[in-house]
Amino acid sequence: MFERPQAGERALLVHVNTQGPADPDELSEFSELARSAGAQIIRLETLSRRSPDPGLFVGRGKAEELRGLVESEEIDLVIFDNELSPSQERNLEALFQCRVLDRTGLILDIFAQRARSFEGKLQVELAQLRHLSTRLVRGWTHLERQKGGIGLRGPGETQLETDRRLLNNRIDQIRRRLARVDSQREQGRRARHRAEVPTVSLVGYTNAGKSTLFNRLTAAHVYARDQLFATLDPTLRRAELPDGSHLILADTVGFISRLPHELVAAFKSTLQETVEADMLLHVVDAASHRRAENIAEVEDVLSQIGAGELPRIEVYNKIDLIEGAAPKVERDEAGQVTRVWLSASTGEGCELLLEALADYFHIEVFRREITLSPAEGRLHALLYAEGKVVNETVTEEGGWRLEVVLTRREYQQLRKQEPRLAELLADLPGGDDW
């Protein structure tokens, strides 16, 4: 009986194209996926077929040729840039006598490595179990083996039935836990809505620079590297706009061509941050000659999760890699910003994006100077605690002269805690309407 090895990094990559010659960019992305998973690429084989072979996907002759490569190169792992059926995967493993992964399995492995939060780990495990549930064959090292012998036999279930039941139980358990996490996220979204704080979600093809832009706009320290799926867990941070208002930025997982449906389904709660956003910033790698195809892939996933109709601004990133490119803003016939060209790495053009967001949301804010007496220390501390003070000087009497920036909602909330604030700001336009 063939048992899958527990480890193996020397990889043979196989790309089977059924629609003409292989695309060099697809091959490059496939290789980068394998490297991101930690594989040592020994060789990349490309071939074309009109249709997959039902038993071995590549046909008997080519499969024998690949088996020879596996033996001669001491390959531990064969990765296909295609979707293999459970029977094809099993037949190839029996022939090669090493582990075989398809594209979905490869991406799931990368996600398992990158998940850091409790929610992210649960979502990855859910996707893996869904994928595993279609591949319960005898080649697997089972989740739990029934013991034999007198008094130790099982209740009559076959091994596959036992494994399938254990899988389904675990899937139900994970779903319940994710439902609780999603409920907590929904409470956070309702709180932001009540506070009238807009949420903007960063979306885009993986490695387009979303996390770098997120760090630039929010002064956060989210993990950002030049690799596929560097960011997996969603992160929300506050970003200040030029007019003194602020919004919430959400950095989410990047998309990729032929993103497995298991992942789209498993990460539904994470992607809900995208669906519930007030606006999307679609980050595009402007230096990539595949940017049109990448944009189409992202739009396809957005449609799948129900975010296809949300307003968005295209952010053409990495202009520092394009000779002669400069930061700029493009608008439609109505004067609305549709595209911003910038470099998140150098910071060029980021102020144009912030100005575009401030213009879009047009959050009503005011900046005023107020004077507090030494006895009004509580109000002084409250304004600082809420982050509304932008400048301060001490008066001769020992009080404070503060320059504050407030939105309408913030003013109303603070006035309930400190009625004195309404007297200090009685000259606001609109009077009590504020």
Side-chain angles (χ1 to χ4, degrees):
M1 181 67 65
F2 169 69
E3 292 287 348
R4 295 184 176 213
Q6 297 299 309
E9 296 181 349
R10 290 175 59 84
L12 168 65
L13 307 188
V14 181
H15 175 90
V16 182
N17 197 7
T18 58
Q19 299 178 346
D23 185 339
D25 291 310
E26 286 189 7
L27 297 179
S28 176
E29 182 178 274
F30 179 34
S31 299
E32 185 59 35
L33 278 172
R35 279 190 288 268
S36 296
Q40 177 188 354
I41 300 174
I42 304 302
R43 187 160 176 173
L44 170 61
E45 285 286 311
T46 62
L47 60 142
S48 297
R49 283 185 63 91
R50 290 186 178 179
S51 60
D53 179 80
L56 295 168
F57 196 84
V58 295
R60 173 60 63 176
K62 188 63 180 181
E64 289 291 345
E65 181 183 330
L66 293 175
R67 184 178 66 85
L69 282 174
V70 169
E71 292 180 353
S72 62
E73 298 290 346
E74 298 181 349
I75 297 297
D76 302 308
L77 174 66
V78 179
I79 307 175
F80 279 76
D81 191 25
N82 306 88
E83 301 300 319
L84 301 177
S85 70
S87 61
Q88 289 168 342
E89 188 175 299
R90 180 174 71 251
N91 294 339
L92 288 168
E93 285 188 335
L95 179 64
F96 297 158
Q97 285 298 295
C98 72
R99 192 179 180 199
V100 174
L101 270 184
D102 64 0
R103 182 181 177 87
T104 298
L106 175 61
I107 295 177
L108 284 171
D109 185 84
I110 297 172
F111 272 48
Q113 294 180 42
R114 302 284 162 78
R116 293 293 179 267
S117 70
F118 174 71
E119 179 185 17
K121 291 176 181 178
L122 284 178
Q123 289 170 327
V124 170
E125 185 180 355
L126 177 60
Q128 287 178 318
L129 291 177
R130 282 175 169 168
H131 187 63
L132 173 61
S133 65
T134 66
R135 284 160 164 73
L136 284 177
V137 293
R138 288 178 296 169
W140 283 95
T141 300
H142 295 298
L143 302 178
E144 181 178 288
R145 293 190 181 277
Q146 291 177 311
K147 298 178 180 179
I150 298 175
L152 296 175
R153 292 189 178 91
E157 289 182 308
T158 66
Q159 182 62 59
L160 290 180
E161 288 170 341
T162 301
D163 284 356
R164 187 170 288 113
R165 177 172 54 79
L166 292 171
L167 275 174
N168 290 334
N169 289 344
R170 179 59 179 164
I171 287 173
D172 290 341
Q173 183 183 37
I174 292 174
R175 282 174 172 164
R176 288 193 295 270
R177 290 185 178 180
L178 283 174
R180 289 195 294 269
V181 174
D182 190 46
S183 176
Q184 295 170 355
R185 285 191 175 277
E186 180 60 30
Q187 290 176 3
R189 283 192 287 266
R190 286 199 298 266
R192 293 195 297 270
H193 181 72
R194 287 194 299 269
E196 295 185 353
V197 179
T199 300
V200 176
S201 184
L202 293 171
V203 299
Y205 207 79
T206 186
N207 209 26
K210 296 186 307 301
S211 295
T212 303
L213 180 62
F214 182 83
N215 288 338
R216 176 71 64 175
L217 298 180
T218 64
H221 301 285
V222 170
Y223 180 70
R225 287 190 63 185
D226 184 18
Q227 61 181 201
L228 303 184
F229 300 120
T231 300
L232 180 57
D233 299 309
T235 307
L236 283 76
R237 293 288 187 274
R238 172 170 151 164
E240 298 290 338
L241 298 180
D243 61 5
S245 62
H246 64 272
L247 50 77
I248 299 298
L249 269 185
D251 186 22
T252 58
V253 62
F255 303 147
I256 196 171
S257 63
R258 293 178 285 152
L259 186 68
H261 292 293
E262 291 98 329
L263 290 178
V264 175
F267 281 77
K268 185 176 180 181
S269 60
T270 298
L271 296 174
Q272 195 69 19
E273 293 293 348
T274 297
V275 178
E276 299 291 339
D278 297 290
M279 170 182 274
L280 304 180
L281 294 182
H282 183 171
V283 183
V284 179
D285 182 353
S288 172
H289 59 279
R290 274 184 56 86
R291 68 187 186 196
E293 291 86 347
N294 294 348
I295 290 173
E297 293 285 353
V298 172
E299 293 294 338
D300 180 57
V301 176
L302 290 176
S303 297
Q304 289 183 47
I305 65 175
E309 300 302 319
L310 289 176
R312 71 199 63 186
I313 294 177
E314 288 186 348
V315 180
Y316 274 46
N317 187 27
K318 303 187 181 182
I319 63 171
D320 53 305
L321 303 180
I322 304 175
E323 185 176 354
K328 63 179 179 180
V329 173
E330 296 182 15
R331 300 177 183 270
D332 59 17
E333 296 178 354
Q336 297 293 325
V337 175
T338 58
R339 187 174 297 159
V340 178
W341 294 70
L342 53 76
S343 170
S345 177
T346 65
E348 291 182 279
C350 288
E351 72 284 351
L352 297 177
L353 177 60
L354 291 173
E355 290 170 3
L357 291 172
D359 181 61
Y360 177 83
F361 290 109
H362 191 60
I363 303 171
E364 194 172 6
V365 298
F366 70 91
R367 183 185 294 256
R368 285 289 187 279
E369 188 177 272
I370 62 175
T371 301
L372 302 181
S373 68
E376 294 176 311
R378 184 175 182 277
L379 178 55
H380 175 266
L382 178 62
L383 290 171
Y384 261 99
E386 297 294 328
K388 308 310 174 191
V389 180
V390 296
N391 192 26
E392 174 188 348
T393 57
V394 179
T395 64
E396 294 181 358
E397 295 79 16
W400 305 273
R401 186 172 292 109
L402 305 177
E403 187 178 359
V404 297
V405 175
L406 293 170
T407 65
R408 178 191 296 268
R409 171 67 67 176
E410 290 166 345
Y411 168 70
Q412 291 174 342
Q413 291 175 338
L414 290 174
R415 186 174 65 174
K416 294 177 182 177
Q417 301 178 59
E418 283 290 340
R420 166 69 173 148
L421 193 60
E423 301 176 21
L424 293 169
L425 299 173
D427 62 334
L428 282 178
D432 290 338
D433 290 340
W434 270 82

